[in-house]
């Protein structure tokens, strides 16, 4: 089944699907071409078409995204068999106002100095395509319109 | 923290980490370069260095792997905050004996004709690198030696 909602609908649906999933796996392409993934804390803010993550500007994943901006985010909620794949392009953004808006004390686990950490940066992922599976053995639904 | 166990140890550890995770997200590179992921049922058999999945030989992901064998598998168990990233190369293998060995009636959800489906194929992923995170806010451990 393939659904073709428009941008607003696709954005709303994707926002609902990922809202309660706290960790996404971010896949990037390494310099040698290998695909690598790692868990990333998701944002509580409402999804408006871009996904935001905190990361260190000097971290390997930041370097990988500078080299090649193509990323995938996979969201899994095994309890209700919900799986979401998001393809997009990542951009490193050092926007103090946005960081303040998105900051959550839970992120101290990775950034003990919080907003004062000079290496703290945002990864903005511009969503280009998304698919989801929301029941066991379901075929996927493509969210079009991003 | 980076650990450097040898191949046997790395294989054993990875096997333990992924044993009870029924679904992995398989990321491949599409023809246009975008990264795409989808849920795939994992195997119950003991891990010996290769990961195996059932898929359709004519499915888009099979085509993507023929074009570019680099894949990533991400395993997530949110309940105990266990996340695993596996990087490797995929190969499509039509091995009847191996298919018989790995077949499980649960796969009928995706392949109703079971082992009689002429499109049924195995994806063998040769693991090249793996990392895991096994507690909240943990730094990762690289499993070396594959
Ligand atoms: C929980 C779950 C498990 C799945 N397991 C498999 C699988 O083992 N093999 C498979 O080919 N598709 C499986 N699928 C379907 C795939 O995720 C995907 O939708 C389908 O194979 C088409 O993928 P493609 O268009 O990228 O080739 C599963 C779907 C779900 C929701």
């Amino acid at each position: 089944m393939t659904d073709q909602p428009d941008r607003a609908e696709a954005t709303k649906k994707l926002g609902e699907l990922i809202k309660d999933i706290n960790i996404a796996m971010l896949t990037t392409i390494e310099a040698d071409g290998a695909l690598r993934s790692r868990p990333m804390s998701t944002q509580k803010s409402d999804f408006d078409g871009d996904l935001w993550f905190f990361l260190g500007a000097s971290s390997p994943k930041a370097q990988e995204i500078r080299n090649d901006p193509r990323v995938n985010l996979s969201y899994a909620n095994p309890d209700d068999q919900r799986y979401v794949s998001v393809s997009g392009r990542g951009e490193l953004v050092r926007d103090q106002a946005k960081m303040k808006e998105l900051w959550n004390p839970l992120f101290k686990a990775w950034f003990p100095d919080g907003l004062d950490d000079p290496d703290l940066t945002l990864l903005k992922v511009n969503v280009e395509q998304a698919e989801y599976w929301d029941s066991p053995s379901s075929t996927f639904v493509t969210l079009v319109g991003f």
Side-chain angles (χ1 to χ4, degrees), chain A residues 87-107:
Chain A
S87 308
R89 289 186 173 257
E91 190 189 339
L92 300 173
V93 181
R94 229 170 198 153
D95 177 332
Q96 288 293 343
K98 192 74 187 171
M99 290 206 261
K100 240 187 198 150
E101 178 196 324
L102 297 177
W103 181 258
N104 175 323
L106 287 174
F107 297 138

Side-chain angles (χ1 to χ4, degrees), chain A residues 81 83 133 135-140:
Chain A
Q81 302 251 38
Y83 299 92
W133 296 254
S135 67
S137 84
S138 69
T139 50
F140 65 94

Side-chain angles (χ1 to χ4, degrees), chain A residues 42-89:
Chain A
T42 58
Q43 297 299 325
K44 287 287 145 235
S45 62
D46 281 345
F47 171 67
D48 64 0
D50 294 317
L51 294 167
W52 297 88
F53 301 88
F54 280 98
L55 80 177
S58 59
S59 64
K61 64 185 149 320
Q63 201 48 56
E64 286 161 22
I65 291 164
R66 274 185 213 102
N67 285 343
D68 192 329
R70 294 166 298 173
V71 302
N72 181 273
L73 288 152
S74 68
Y75 296 79
N77 190 346
D79 294 339
D80 70 353
Q81 302 251 38
R82 180 158 28 104
Y83 299 92
V84 183
S85 164
V86 176
S87 308
R89 289 186 173 257

Side-chain angles (χ1 to χ4, degrees), chain A residues 8-21 43-49 51 75 82 84 86 143 146:
Chain A
E9 252 182 88
T11 303
K12 183 163 170 265
K13 181 69 189 174
L14 182 54
E16 284 165 9
L17 286 162
I18 64 176
K19 198 168 60 180
D20 62 349
I21 300 182
Q43 297 299 325
K44 287 287 145 235
S45 62
D46 281 345
F47 171 67
D48 64 0
L51 294 167
Y75 296 79
R82 180 158 28 104
V84 183
V86 176
L143 289 171
F146 290 107

